[in-house]
Amino acid sequence: MARRFPRIVSSAAALALVLLLAACGPPAKVDILKKSANAKTKEDLEQALGKPSDVEKLGPLEKWTYRASDGSVVFLITGDTVAIQATGGSK
């Protein structure tokens, strides 16, 4: 029994490390959409989600893209207002 304890502890530590590393990846699309549900302005969106993965400026429009573990979420911003959100498929 004394020899099993170190093996159990090391197995538990390895499992905890795997779970921790899995949690460090990008969130899923549904998580991004939930966090951004009340965002009406660029400032609201950045406070909810942080800086986007990519920003494209199209004249007065901006397209903010957030990468997700299962694709991407794109927000179209006019002026300072979040106008449209859409999701893209996985890569």
Side-chain angles (χ1 to χ4, degrees):
M1 181 71 173
R3 300 188 91 199
R4 282 188 176 178
F5 183 72
R7 186 178 272 169
I8 291 171
V9 170
S10 64
S11 295
L15 178 61
L17 180 62
V18 168
L19 293 174
L20 179 64
L21 290 175
C24 292
K29 292 185 291 189
V30 68
D31 297 326
I32 292 172
L33 292 171
K34 283 180 185 177
K35 285 183 176 181
S36 66
N38 295 322
K40 304 294 182 215
T41 66
K42 288 188 335 183
E43 184 179 336
D44 294 342
L45 191 59
E46 193 167 350
Q47 284 181 347
L49 300 176
K51 298 226 182 262
S53 305
D54 186 51
V55 175
E56 291 182 37
K57 295 189 182 219
L58 314 162
L61 304 175
E62 290 184 36
K63 183 172 112 175
W64 287 18
T65 302
Y66 288 87
R67 287 189 198 106
S69 60
D70 55 349
S72 62
V73 179
V74 176
F75 296 90
L76 185 61
I77 299 168
T78 59
D80 190 43
T81 305
V82 177
I84 298 174
Q85 61 185 8
T87 61
S90 59
K91 297 178 184 175

